[in-house]
Amino acid sequence: MDIVERFLNYTKFDTQSAEDTDCVPSTAKQLVFAEYLKKELEAEGLDDVEMDDKGYIYATLKANTKASIPTIGFISHYDTSPDCSGADIKARIVRNYNGKEIVLSEGLTSSPRKFPELLQHVGEDLIVTDGHTLLGADDKAGIAEIVQAVCYLRDHKDIKHGDIRVAFNPDEEIGMGAHHFDVEKFGCQWAYTMDGGDVGELEFENFNAASAKITFKGISVHPGYAKGKMVNANALATEFAKMLPTNETPETTEGYQGFYHLLGIQSNIEEARMSYIIRDHDREHFEDRKRFIANCASLMNEKYGDGTVVCEVKDQYYNMKEKIDPQMHVIDLVLHAMQAVGVAPKVKPIRGGTDGAQLSFRGLPCPNIFAGGVNFHGPYEFISIQSMEKAMQVVVKICELTANYNE
């Protein structure tokens, strides 16, 4: 089976995760694909194939040499985003893309005018949707690339390698992918998530992240007789929002710049609730942001009385750079592998999070490598077949180079 057939088979499964459940995985349909994937790994001859009761899959390609080589791993998630339907995906291949508008289905097109990233793939073969669902390259492309790479190594015994562990997990798209990952069972000295974007992307810096839940307590009185009595929680929430800097939001920042992001508001006169996320690459600035938002609540309590505003801030994850910097050989191997297979590295910070960040803080250094997909989480998602092949080649080369690595 080639990588294209493998990936297209994966897209036939609806594996959308959901945030409004306490189940693990968050949707039962993810387990349907997990069972399929487990059987596929067994059929391909991998060892130690197992799936736990939460849908986490682990397997091993055994070393083909007696030399002492570090055990490394490759990880991808199989859920797709709740933001767009992943059911009944109709994927098709646009051969030798000509740089013009692509008709996805009647009345739906994808064009370089709206998505200039398309022009970087002129002459390549693109897998697209029909414009009604996402494609699922995030992150079934990563799975296909990993499985194809270990099959290639299995069949090319002249390429010496140590034990290679692979793992596939649910619920990454809702921030839960690493929560039940068994790092000890995985047993690797370091690993890589294959979950990045376009060709060459390599990420080992991500946001420090926290959530903030702000609750405003009001007093409802008939508006005709409200003077000196009413406390309007709607107005309190508006006042709080105005206290935060308007130039530090997602729509006004880029690169290493952090932000406060208002996710949602539920509001009436008696009570209002605001949900924020706080992000910054710099740990000190991150702590400053958390203190600032808590201080805004304190200032409002001084003005309106204790207990009027309740602010709950919780850390979510941290910048993996803190854990990767002491072990930069993990990055050097990727850079050398990319160069060896003709890929120009694009090292950049993630303006978001990754399972690898959480895993890095649990003792498994785990940077993120490109999987090749573009326009994730929506119906204009696409991936180049050539990009998938390059990603697979990078995985193979990392395994080969690790055989010559000396700690």
Side-chain angles (χ1 to χ4, degrees):
M1 186 184 304
D2 67 16
I3 195 168
V4 177
E5 182 183 359
R6 200 179 297 278
F7 172 67
L8 292 177
N9 284 345
Y10 295 167
T11 67
K12 296 174 184 176
F13 292 84
D14 179 8
T15 57
Q16 190 178 45
S17 50
E19 298 192 48
D20 55 350
T21 174
D22 294 326
C23 300
V24 182
S26 61
T27 54
K29 56 190 176 184
Q30 292 184 70
L31 290 176
V32 176
F33 176 66
E35 289 284 0
Y36 170 88
L37 186 56
K38 176 178 179 288
K39 291 177 182 177
E40 181 177 281
L41 296 175
E42 291 170 340
E44 294 290 7
L46 271 69
D47 293 296
D48 311 322
V49 180
E50 59 178 308
M51 184 177 80
D52 66 21
D53 60 348
K54 293 180 172 60
Y56 287 69
I57 302 170
Y58 306 92
T60 307
L61 178 67
K62 293 289 189 182
N64 61 2
T65 174
K66 294 182 179 180
S68 179
I69 299 171
T71 298
I72 64 171
F74 296 90
I75 303 167
S76 289
H77 66 90
Y78 53 76
D79 66 313
T80 60
S81 171
D83 295 344
C84 183
S85 173
D88 193 25
I89 293 171
K90 293 180 173 62
R92 69 181 178 90
I93 301 173
V94 178
R95 297 288 183 185
N96 192 22
Y97 173 58
N98 60 11
K100 298 181 181 179
E101 183 177 86
I102 300 172
V103 176
L104 303 178
S105 58
E106 186 176 354
L108 295 172
T109 62
S110 181
S111 72
R113 181 169 47 82
K114 189 171 183 179
F115 303 109
E117 301 89 349
L118 282 164
L119 295 177
Q120 299 174 22
H121 298 281
V122 172
E124 299 178 9
D125 304 313
L126 308 186
I127 304 177
V128 301
T129 74
D130 66 352
H132 294 285
T133 68
L134 48 66
L135 177 63
D138 179 15
D139 190 25
K140 289 170 184 169
I143 300 174
E145 291 151 7
I146 292 170
V147 175
Q148 201 71 24
V150 294
C151 289
Y152 184 91
L153 289 166
R154 175 202 64 198
D155 296 337
H156 292 77
K157 294 181 173 51
D158 55 310
I159 302 174
K160 300 304 176 185
H161 59 82
D163 281 351
I164 300 164
R165 293 280 278 161
V166 300
F168 306 115
N169 60 269
D171 290 342
E172 188 271 350
E173 296 292 0
I174 59 170
M176 301 295 290
H179 283 216
H180 300 283
F181 193 100
D182 194 330
V183 171
E184 184 176 351
K185 176 188 289 183
F186 199 42
C188 295
Q189 290 174 253
W190 68 84
Y192 303 95
T193 50
M194 298 295 295
D195 192 22
D198 215 345
V199 173
E201 288 186 7
L202 170 60
E203 302 158 324
F204 62 95
E205 300 179 69
N206 60 277
F207 278 138
N208 295 289
S211 65
K213 308 293 184 184
I214 322 295
T215 304
F216 304 87
K217 301 295 184 180
I219 299 174
S220 181
V221 179
H222 188 290
Y225 307 95
K227 186 175 180 180
K229 301 173 185 176
M230 178 184 285
V231 178
N232 192 331
N234 298 303
L236 294 176
T238 301
E239 182 176 341
F240 183 90
K242 290 179 179 178
M243 297 173 75
L244 301 185
T246 58
N247 63 340
E248 297 180 21
T249 62
E251 59 267 39
T252 61
T253 53
E254 61 184 353
Y256 286 96
Q257 296 172 319
F259 57 73
Y260 305 92
H261 180 36
L262 177 59
L263 291 178
I265 304 173
Q266 295 176 312
S267 184
N268 56 42
I269 292 172
E270 286 196 330
E271 184 176 273
R273 297 176 182 270
M274 303 178 79
S275 174
Y276 281 90
I277 58 172
I278 303 167
R279 300 289 189 264
D280 209 296
H281 279 89
D282 184 276
R283 187 64 175 266
E284 289 187 14
H285 293 168
F286 173 63
E287 298 297 334
D288 288 343
R289 288 185 182 280
K290 293 191 295 179
R291 283 190 289 268
F292 177 78
I293 208 166
N295 187 55
C296 288
S298 297
L299 290 173
M300 290 192 68
N301 280 326
E302 290 177 13
K303 182 176 179 180
Y304 295 104
D306 287 345
T308 302
V309 182
V310 177
C311 178
E312 183 182 14
V313 178
K314 290 185 177 180
D315 287 356
Q316 296 172 307
Y317 52 82
Y318 304 107
N319 189 347
M320 75 168 87
K321 186 175 188 295
E322 182 178 326
K323 298 298 182 181
I324 300 295
D325 273 351
Q327 304 192 60
M328 282 301 289
H329 64 275
V330 174
I331 301 301
D332 292 338
L333 282 165
V334 183
L335 294 174
H336 292 149
M338 286 186 182
Q339 291 162 353
V341 301
V343 171
K346 303 172 186 174
V347 180
K348 67 173 192 175
I350 308 172
R351 285 185 62 79
T354 167
D355 281 347
Q358 297 181 50
L359 294 172
S360 292
F361 278 87
R362 290 173 57 195
L364 180 66
C366 197
N368 193 38
I369 300 174
F370 73 93
V374 184
N375 294 339
F376 291 159
H377 297 192
Y380 300 99
E381 182 181 8
F382 71 89
I383 191 167
S384 157
I385 292 174
Q386 287 78 7
S387 295
M388 293 177 66
E389 291 170 342
K390 283 296 184 184
M392 184 274 285
Q393 293 168 18
V394 168
V395 174
V396 170
K397 186 58 69 171
I398 289 171
C399 298
E400 181 180 358
L401 292 175
T402 302
N404 299 316
Y405 167 73
N406 294 310
E407 294 187 83

